[in-house]
Amino acid sequence: MSQASSEQATEQAISFEQVTQTHKLWFKRVLGLGALEAKIWVASGAQLVALMCGAAVLLVTAWLLLIAAVAVIAWQAGFSLPLTLFVGAVITLGSAYGLMILVKRTLKSMNFTRTLDALIPSDEED
């Protein structure tokens, strides 16, 4: 009887070990897939940031060239050079101030309360 129960215990231990090994392999594959997805997202994110920086540099250059062209046209029309440069500086500072207002508004609206509420519902919602 003890030999039969010993064999049965050995079979159960082997099958449990096989199940454990199978789950470990499955979990390793799932984590490997997640790591691969993360690498793709990081590479795509870095490329997107680089493209956005390039676009920002081009937009700033175009904006400054536009202000310079208006200043040259005003100077050619007879306005004094210091006045045209001052107006160009005021326009540039005004647009920077407008962008800062947009940045502050965007940062203010960025919160994770919806995600937090989805993960951990508050007592009021229950």
Side-chain angles (χ1 to χ4, degrees):
M1 183 94 166
S2 69
Q3 186 179 10
S5 64
S6 171
E7 289 177 10
Q8 188 179 11
T10 305
E11 287 177 14
Q12 286 178 350
I14 290 172
S15 65
F16 181 72
E17 187 177 309
Q18 289 173 347
V19 169
T20 306
Q21 188 65 26
T22 303
H23 279 83
K24 284 181 182 178
L25 287 173
W26 173 80
F27 191 61
K28 184 177 181 181
R29 288 180 184 152
V30 168
L31 286 179
L33 181 62
L36 183 62
E37 283 285 328
K39 285 180 185 178
I40 291 170
W41 275 94
V42 167
S44 297
Q47 185 178 12
L48 183 63
V49 167
L51 290 172
M52 287 172 49
C53 287
V57 166
L58 290 175
L59 285 171
V60 167
T61 304
W63 177 247
L64 292 176
L65 283 173
L66 180 66
I67 292 173
V70 170
V72 167
I73 290 170
W75 182 56
Q76 290 291 328
F79 291 98
S80 68
L81 185 60
L83 179 65
T84 57
L85 292 177
F86 178 74
V87 169
V90 167
I91 291 171
T92 304
L93 290 174
S95 37
Y97 181 73
L99 286 175
M100 287 305 299
I101 289 174
L102 286 174
V103 166
K104 285 181 182 180
R105 186 180 305 157
T106 303
L107 286 175
K108 196 176 198 180
S109 68
M110 287 178 61
N111 57 15
F112 297 102
T113 56
R114 286 183 225 116
T115 305
L116 186 61
D117 288 342
L119 293 174
I120 307 169
S122 63
D123 293 335
E124 299 165 358
E125 294 177 3
D126 292 337

